[in-house]
Amino acid sequence: MTINQISIFIENKPEALAKLTGVIAENKINLKSLSIADSTDFGIVRIIVDDSEKVSKILSEKDYLVKTTGVIAVAIPDEAGSLNKILTVMAKNGRNVEYMYGFTGKKTNTACMIIRTTDITAAEKVLSDNNIRMISQDGIEEL
C-alpha cells in the first residue's frame, strides 16, 4: 500500500516556495499535504498529490530537481493516543520512523499520517498484522 511522495529540492529564499506552489496552482494540482525540511541554503519540500507521475513530470519540465519516494499513509482515529498506539506497534516490531507528517482529508474527515521508514515492506506487514488501516494511492484521491 505504498503511496508516492514527491520530494523537491529548492533554495531557502523568500520567493522559492511561492514559485513552486505557483507552478502547482497553475496546473490545477490539489496538494493533499506539504512538509518542508530546511537548512541554511536549501530545503526539501515533500508533497502528497493525487497524480504523482503527472506532478513529477510538470515540475521536472520546470527545472525542479524531484524525486519520488515510497511512503506509508496510515489512517489515524480522531482520539487521544492514536498515533502513540501506531508508533508503539512499529517500535515493538523493530520498525524505525525516519520522518512523518500528517494531514486531514476534507471529504472524509480522516486524519492521515505519512510515514517514511527504513523498510517499507516490513513496516506495512507489521501495520497490517496489527489491524492498522493504511491508505492506498487511490485512497488518497478519495480523502
Side-chain angles (χ1 to χ4, degrees):
M1 284 230 192
T2 303
I3 66 165
N4 294 322
Q5 167 190 264
I6 302 170
S7 299
I8 308 115
F9 188 72
I10 64 170
E11 287 186 85
N12 190 357
K13 58 184 185 180
E15 70 275 8
L17 189 56
K19 285 181 180 179
L20 172 64
T21 58
V23 170
I24 291 169
E26 288 167 9
N27 286 280
K28 303 204 181 338
I29 297 160
N30 185 24
L31 286 171
K32 294 293 187 177
S33 185
L34 181 145
S35 171
I36 302 172
D38 72 338
S39 66
T40 304
D41 298 321
F42 296 95
I44 299 173
V45 177
R46 294 178 173 115
I47 61 174
I48 302 294
V49 295
D50 292 341
D51 189 343
S52 59
E53 288 181 29
K54 174 185 171 186
V55 175
S56 290
K57 182 178 180 206
I58 289 167
L59 293 175
S60 292
E61 288 171 354
K62 294 287 186 176
D63 295 323
Y64 284 96
L65 179 59
V66 300
K67 180 181 178 187
T68 302
T69 307
V71 293
I72 301 170
V74 178
I76 304 286
D78 186 14
E79 58 192 41
S82 294
L83 178 59
N84 179 257
K85 288 177 189 174
I86 292 166
L87 294 176
T88 299
V89 164
M90 290 185 65
K92 285 183 178 179
N93 287 277
R95 300 295 99 209
N96 185 43
V97 173
E98 292 179 357
Y99 61 82
M100 62 189 247
Y101 54 98
F103 68 96
T104 302
K106 69 178 184 177
K107 294 179 187 174
T108 62
N109 257 355
T110 300
C112 179
M113 292 304 295
I114 303 299
I115 300 173
R116 175 67 180 166
T117 184
T118 49
D119 185 339
I120 289 186
T121 303
E124 287 176 326
K125 180 169 179 8
V126 165
L127 294 169
S128 179
D129 289 350
N130 285 275
N131 299 314
I132 296 171
R133 186 174 148 239
M134 291 171 282
I135 301 168
S136 68
Q137 186 70 45
D138 291 338
I140 291 292
E141 295 176 23
E142 316 244 333
L143 294 178

